Structures are given as C-alpha cells and as structure tokens.
Amino acid sequence: TQRARAGAQTSLHVPYGDGEGEKLDIYFPTDPSGTFPVLVYIHGGYWQCLSKDESGFAAPPLVSRGVAVVAVGYDTAPKGHMDAMVLQVRRSLAFLVERFSGIRGVYLCGHSAGAHLAAMVLSTDWTEYGVVPDIKGAVLVSGVYDLEPILHTYVNDALKMSREVAQRNSPMLCVAPAAPAAAACEVLVAVAQHDSPEFRRQSQEYGQ
C-alpha cells in the first residue's frame, strides 16, 4: 500500500459519510483522460478485522493503465453490525458516482467478507439512493453468500447476528430482486485452492 501511495495521485481518508469508518482511499489514474473506469475493492476479514489501509495493493498496475482504484472503509464488528456495513458499502458507491462525474463504469472486487458485501451491493435497489452506478463487472473471491451457517460459530461472537439479520443480508436470498443496474453485470465467482467445502458449496450455488 505504501508503494501504491507513492506512485499514484491519491486522496486518502475521503469521507463518504459521518461515521468514523466511512472513508475511502482513492488512487487516481496516472494519466487521466477525463473519464476512467474504477475498481472498487472491499476488504475481507470476517467483518471484524483488516481495513482499507491494507487494500492499496491492486492500485499500481491499474492506475498506470488509466483505471482508478478505490479502497472502501466500513465499520467492522463489534462497532459495526451487519445491516450497517451493507448500508455503508452501498452508500460509498452512491457517493463515488455522485462525486466523480468522470467515472465510466464501476467494477467491484471483494475477498471473503468483502465478496459478501460486494454481492450485497449487486442486489441493491438504487431508487432510494437517487443514483444508479454503472456496475459493469464484479470479481467475488472466497465469499460468504449465506450467513445462516455462521450464526453458531465464533465468527458471530462479534457480529451478534440474529437469524433475521443473517437472512436479509444473505446474497443467496437477494438474487431475485437484483436491481436492473446489475442485470447486465458480469460476475466472476472464485474460490481459493484450500477453501473449505462450505466456501466451495456457497460459491457454486450463488454462481448458478
């Protein structure tokens, strides 16, 4: 991330809301031509660790090719709860497209919890946000798309999700009402070589 910040024009800790964690790190193209695509990276960490500050690794090869990279911050647990995290990442997208008129296409990328949050972004009904991001693609790596299986695991100790919260924030249950903005979006669902059978099952079922 330090190398990314040294080699690109950056705007760090840009607030997209009033919350402490509601900040973006934006890495602009080295040779912006007025309009540019943007890769929005949502970090993982089981919704309770890591941050946007470790998420600039993707910037150097992309900004040199005219792509902006945005690392999204959100309030992790125990301070943040699942409904709030989903709302935050959705609002971060709305903020970006309102703030930067030069964006010509948004590409989402998320790993683990970040893949879950990116998938929830794909299911957003943008009418209540007043903007419709032009989401052209998404890369979801080792994501969790059904939250119910983690209700009785250590992961939920910090999240404290009820069954109702888990259900309404499970992308597998939100695929049908996906907004038209994501209808033509190409989605790549990937798993890592050593991911558990549950990760593989959820990725396969969500990707169908």
Side-chain angles (χ1 to χ4, degrees), residues 9-12 14 24-28 68-71 95-96 100:
Q9 177 187 346
T10 61
S11 292
L12 302 179
V14 177
L24 304 173
D25 286 348
I26 305 173
Y27 303 84
F28 291 99
V69 175
V70 175
F95 169 84
L96 274 175
F100 300 102

Side-chain angles (χ1 to χ4, degrees), residues 17-208:
D18 298 327
E20 183 180 347
E22 297 178 359
K23 305 284 195 305
L24 304 173
D25 286 348
I26 305 173
Y27 303 84
F28 291 99
T30 51
D31 184 23
S33 58
T35 62
F36 49 85
V38 58
L39 175 78
V40 176
Y41 182 78
I42 306 172
H43 72 83
Y46 277 122
W47 306 275
Q48 53 197 293
C49 59
L50 300 180
S51 73
K52 68 175 177 55
D53 299 334
E54 299 90 25
S55 301
F57 59 86
L62 293 172
V63 297
S64 64
R65 290 168 173 79
V67 179
V69 175
V70 175
V72 178
Y74 55 91
D75 286 318
T76 53
K79 178 179 180 179
H81 54 87
M82 189 59 68
D83 288 324
M85 286 184 261
V86 170
L87 178 61
Q88 285 177 328
V89 294
R90 287 171 169 168
R91 285 198 290 106
S92 76
L93 262 289
F95 169 84
L96 274 175
V97 297
E98 286 181 329
R99 174 81 174 268
F100 300 102
S101 58
I103 292 176
R104 68 167 208 291
V106 175
Y107 297 84
L108 299 174
C109 182
H111 172 256
S112 186
H116 160 266
L117 294 170
M120 289 301 292
V121 169
L122 293 178
S123 72
T124 305
D125 179 358
W126 293 104
T127 54
E128 60 186 274
Y129 292 85
V131 295
V132 181
D134 182 16
I135 301 175
K136 293 187 176 296
V139 179
L140 311 178
V141 182
S142 300
V144 181
Y145 308 107
D146 179 2
L147 300 183
E148 286 198 62
I150 70 173
L151 285 175
H152 303 294
T153 71
Y154 75 93
V155 175
N156 200 37
D157 291 348
L159 294 169
K160 294 181 169 51
M161 287 189 297
S162 66
R163 186 169 302 277
E164 291 73 23
V165 170
Q167 287 176 341
R168 68 171 170 259
N169 290 293
S170 289
M172 258 198 255
L173 303 179
C174 301
V175 172
C185 170
E186 293 190 26
V187 180
L188 174 63
V189 180
V191 292
Q193 180 180 358
H194 299 296
D195 278 345
S196 70
E198 178 64 13
F199 273 97
R200 292 175 178 272
R201 178 191 72 81
Q202 289 202 17
S203 293
Q204 185 173 24
E205 290 185 14
Y206 177 74
Q208 290 177 343

